[in-house]
Amino acid sequence: MRSEQVLFFTQKEEEFVDLLIGIGIRRNLAKVLVYLSSTNEATSRDIERGTDLRQPEVSIAMSRLHTEGWIESRESKAESKGRPVKIYRLGHPITMIIDQIEADKRSEAEQQRQTMQQLRDLLSQRELTVS
């Protein structure tokens, strides 16, 4: 029987997840991102166990991380005669990913500010025509 080491979140990592959720990152995505930032590489099964997420939840999160360009993957032959196992790791340092998240959030906030200004402008124009 082979021995296996499964990583679980520390209090600090749980806090990291909570902060990411607080800025609008989806819970499952935040958990997977923090998990991968805490290890060199991991299989989907490792991620499922370490984050306490189900396989479909991990798969959806991995798809989003891949779309963002935040992860890399490689295939490794399975120990038995099965399909190869994918092994994942972050494609960039977590600090760069956080910088990208911050830039995206700033852009979103600016777009919302501009929309609010357009609403105010429309309201003031409307008040002028009603008066």
Side-chain angles (χ1 to χ4, degrees):
M1 181 180 278
R2 66 173 203 192
S3 69
E4 209 174 283
Q5 182 180 2
V6 178
L7 301 177
F8 294 97
F9 285 169
T10 63
Q11 184 63 34
K12 196 171 198 175
E13 290 161 337
E14 289 285 354
E15 187 177 341
F16 193 0
V17 168
D18 290 342
L19 289 170
L20 288 169
I21 292 169
I23 61 168
I25 303 298
R26 293 186 180 258
R27 179 183 147 274
N28 296 347
L29 190 65
K31 284 182 135 189
V32 172
L33 189 57
V34 171
Y35 185 88
L36 287 174
S37 74
S38 302
T39 185
N40 289 334
E41 52 185 26
T43 64
S44 290
R45 187 72 180 130
D46 295 335
I47 297 167
E48 290 168 34
R49 290 178 182 162
T51 59
D52 198 28
L53 295 173
R54 296 175 301 125
Q55 185 275 326
E57 295 170 320
V58 170
S59 182
I60 291 167
M62 298 309 280
S63 177
R64 172 75 195 282
L65 292 171
H66 180 73
T67 299
E68 293 292 335
W70 294 344
I71 60 168
E72 296 175 349
S73 65
R74 65 180 176 84
E75 288 189 354
S76 175
K77 288 187 178 185
E79 290 180 16
S80 61
K81 295 180 184 177
R83 60 166 57 165
V85 175
K86 275 199 171 185
I87 300 174
Y88 300 95
R89 69 184 181 114
L90 289 182
H92 304 284
I94 190 66
T95 53
M96 287 181 67
I97 294 171
I98 296 301
D99 288 346
Q100 184 178 346
I101 292 170
E102 181 181 12
D104 292 347
K105 292 297 176 183
R106 285 181 188 269
S107 177
E108 285 175 24
E110 179 57 25
Q111 288 175 344
Q112 289 177 349
R113 190 197 65 73
Q114 289 174 3
T115 301
M116 291 302 298
Q117 186 59 50
Q118 289 173 337
L119 283 170
R120 291 184 195 286
D121 293 345
L122 284 173
L123 283 174
S124 65
Q125 290 172 5
R126 185 175 172 206
E127 288 172 3
L128 290 174
T129 59
V130 172
S131 300

